[in-house]
Amino acid sequence: MSADLVCFQSTCSARFPVTEVIYNCPRCGGLLEAVYTIDRDPAGLKRLWLERRLSNAPLDQSGVWRFREFFPFLNDYRHAVTLREGNTPVLDAPLAARYGGLKRLAFKHQGFNPTGSFKDNGMTCGTAQALRLGMRRVACVSTGNTSASMAAYASAAGLEPIIFIPHGNISYGKLAQALEYGARTLQVEANFDQILALVRVLAERLGIYLLNSINPFRIEGQKSIMVELLEQLDWRVPDWIVLPGGNLGNTSAFGKALREMKDLGLIDRLPRLAVIQAEGAAPFYDLLQQPDRAALQPVVHPETLATAIKIGDPVSWPKALLEVTTTGGVVEKATEQEIADAKAQIGLCGIGCEPASAATLAGIRKLVAAGVMDPEAEVVAVLTGNVLKDPDYIYRYHTGQLQAPGGEALISSFGNRPTVVPNDSDQIAALLGSERS
Ligand code: F0G
């Protein structure tokens, strides 16, 4: 088994050892990806991964490392630190299906991860690589979830986490996690895209290992979300996989995983990817509208209450573009009102998620209405973050206080206002009425 870092730019394709500390191609500046020759038979791999479910070994209990033959970049698994990430459920959601206009809909809920988001799948691999390279300090810029996850994994691995976040623009749930997990936390007066540029310079200058999704090993870990999903579906390929798009690392990871699974013979066809962005931060949507897709036009001032995907200049767009086109996929965008209402519907399923994740259902509803998605299609939407990540948003929505970034009030179409009552059983009984006739 050999592993290399290869330049994603097809005109370059330069190869580098997997142990080099690089995030972009030193020759042309292109994105990098991990490439392997995996020489295994698909039936054997499926059996091995299934058998590991019976094991109590920490790595076998991880929903990422259980599939380690699918991303064999490590030479020594003692570097791997697991918090038992992955292992997230696929949940049927008939109510959300009806809302979206579909006959059936399942959610793969990455919010069940140790720090409550899909970032854990990638972070366990990124941290392992940091340890393997002998790095001491790790850093990321984040809209919140990456920093929460990196803080947890770095601390668990004995590394020093340093996080950079846009001041005042991440939810308290996520900021609280980073503080609790012991990250040195720098709140910068700039937006995500500006801080990423800053952190890249600082990482180089101070010899800090960068764990944003530009790091190819994060992407390798996030591939496990697709492998685990397909295993849960008994390797039956759905028609669509729907996910929110921000920096587009996850879109890149899902597409790479699907292509590699097909190449290995683990699946026989590709599902279509549907990437949903928030209307105020939709440069990838805009790109797909153009006939010439040679350059993405960044959104200079991205705006959305779904702060996780408030990104105007997504780093991984060239990879994501390849993946969306290869799968015959689409990109859609959703308004603040559409995201808020879809989120409430996911809540009413007893499932719940954070705002960015709800863009999936909002997008599905639009794609079905437009005739792009067949109501009979098999659809899996990936909920990327836990409902408790952003409780402030939830309270405001249900009490009619949620405002779009421009200041206009959003309608709490499915609002569920709490009622203040006196400590008086007669009055409460009168309010609740009797179920007995
Ligand atoms: N959903 C959630 C909950 C996220 O936190 C993110 C990204 C995305 C979707 C978009 O994923 O960037 O791979 O397209 N959050 C990053 C962060 C940017 O810093 O936590 P993407």
Side-chain angles (χ1 to χ4, degrees):
M1 211 101 64
S2 73
D4 282 314
L5 285 175
V6 177
C7 178
F8 181 76
Q9 210 66 46
S10 58
T11 47
C12 176
S13 298
R15 286 182 105 84
F16 306 92
V18 84
T19 45
E20 243 173 76
V21 184
I22 44 174
Y23 314 100
N24 284 91
C25 175
R27 282 205 207 143
C28 78
L31 297 166
L32 294 170
E33 63 176 358
V35 172
Y36 322 95
T37 42
I38 303 175
D39 188 16
R40 300 289 286 254
D41 79 292
L45 280 175
K46 288 179 183 176
R47 203 174 329 109
L48 175 67
W49 294 339
L50 210 53
E51 279 166 9
R52 284 194 182 137
R53 284 202 197 166
L54 298 173
S55 161
N56 279 330
L59 287 197
D60 293 345
Q61 288 193 337
S62 159
V64 174
W65 297 105
R66 189 156 68 82
F67 304 103
R68 50 193 175 268
E69 290 73 17
F70 196 56
F71 39 87
F73 65 88
L74 280 186
N75 55 353
D76 184 347
Y77 284 100
R78 280 175 300 183
H79 294 303
V81 173
T82 175
L83 296 171
R84 310 302 189 272
E85 52 291 322
N87 297 311
T88 62
V90 177
L91 305 167
D92 278 323
L95 196 99
R98 256 198 310 282
Y99 182 76
L102 292 170
K103 217 162 169 185
R104 282 176 306 277
L105 174 61
F107 288 121
K108 172 125 179 98
H109 204 327
Q110 293 304 110
F112 281 62
N113 260 299
T115 78
S117 85
F118 73 95
K119 306 290 181 181
D120 294 345
N121 289 67
M123 207 52 79
T124 186
C125 287
T127 325
Q129 181 68 6
L131 285 175
R132 176 236 204 126
L133 296 170
M135 307 302 283
R136 294 295 316 140
R137 298 199 285 181
V138 291
C140 69
V141 52
S142 177
T143 55
N145 280 323
T146 299
S147 51
S149 182
M150 193 194 80
Y153 279 84
S155 289
L159 296 165
E160 190 188 324
I162 307 168
I163 67 165
F164 295 77
I165 48 178
H167 186 39
N169 267 303
I170 79 167
S171 73
Y172 271 119
K174 300 172 189 178
L175 175 58
Q177 284 181 293
L179 300 178
E180 187 79 355
Y181 297 137
R184 194 147 169 205
T185 303
L186 305 176
Q187 297 178 282
V188 188
E189 303 278 0
N191 69 27
F192 177 93
D193 307 298
Q194 295 161 329
I195 305 171
L196 181 55
L198 177 81
V199 174
R200 289 177 71 153
V201 173
L202 282 170
E204 175 85 39
R205 187 157 147 193
L206 303 175
I208 303 172
Y209 194 55
L210 196 58
L211 279 176
N212 273 102
S213 60
I214 192 157
N215 184 310
F217 304 100
R218 284 263 322 272
I219 301 297
E220 289 308 293
Q222 284 169 216
K223 284 185 345 192
S224 63
I225 300 167
M226 286 297 100
V227 189
E228 186 179 76
L229 170 67
L230 266 298
E231 189 193 57
Q232 286 165 314
L233 300 178
D234 294 321
W235 303 100
R236 273 181 294 104
V237 180
D239 298 310
W240 289 93
I241 289 171
V242 188
L243 74 160
N247 216 15
L248 300 173
N250 222 18
T251 307
S252 313
F254 286 11
K256 185 171 192 271
L258 293 165
R259 278 188 291 114
E260 291 175 349
M261 275 193 271
K262 185 158 177 288
D263 289 347
L264 271 169
L266 292 165
I267 54 174
D268 54 10
R269 67 184 179 95
L270 296 175
R272 300 173 74 182
L273 288 176
V275 180
I276 321 296
Q277 298 206 288
E279 196 173 63
F284 193 49
Y285 171 86
D286 294 341
L287 179 73
L288 270 282
Q289 305 311 303
Q290 297 165 16
D292 174 13
R293 295 164 182 176
L296 174 135
Q297 212 50 47
V299 172
V300 181
H301 299 294
E303 284 297 356
T304 171
L305 297 178
T307 49
I309 50 174
K310 190 173 164 182
I311 293 174
D313 192 6
V315 175
S316 293
W317 74 263
K319 288 184 177 177
L321 179 63
L322 173 91
E323 306 305 355
V324 168
T325 45
T326 305
T327 65
V330 296
V331 182
E332 184 54 274
K333 61 180 179 181
T335 65
E336 296 299 311
Q337 185 70 52
E338 289 164 341
I339 293 173
D341 288 341
K343 181 171 141 51
Q345 287 290 315
I346 297 168
L348 285 170
C349 298
I351 292 175
C353 65
E354 69 162 283
S357 311
T360 54
L361 181 59
I364 288 170
R365 190 172 153 94
K366 294 179 95 162
L367 291 169
V368 172
V372 176
M373 200 174 267
D374 186 335
E376 306 270 326
E378 289 287 339
V379 182
V380 178
V382 179
L383 299 180
T384 43
N386 190 284
V387 68
L388 287 175
K389 288 280 189 176
D390 198 348
D392 189 54
Y393 180 107
I394 300 176
Y395 185 77
R396 283 175 198 264
Y397 176 83
H398 286 291
T399 55
Q401 300 174 67
L402 196 61
Q403 288 182 345
E408 64 276 26
L410 295 180
I411 302 161
S412 47
S413 321
F414 308 106
N416 183 20
R417 206 181 267 272
T419 314
V420 180
V421 292
N423 183 8
D424 180 310
S425 62
D426 287 342
Q427 286 193 48
I428 297 174
L431 183 80
L432 294 177
S434 173
E435 273 188 42
R436 287 187 226 120
S437 55

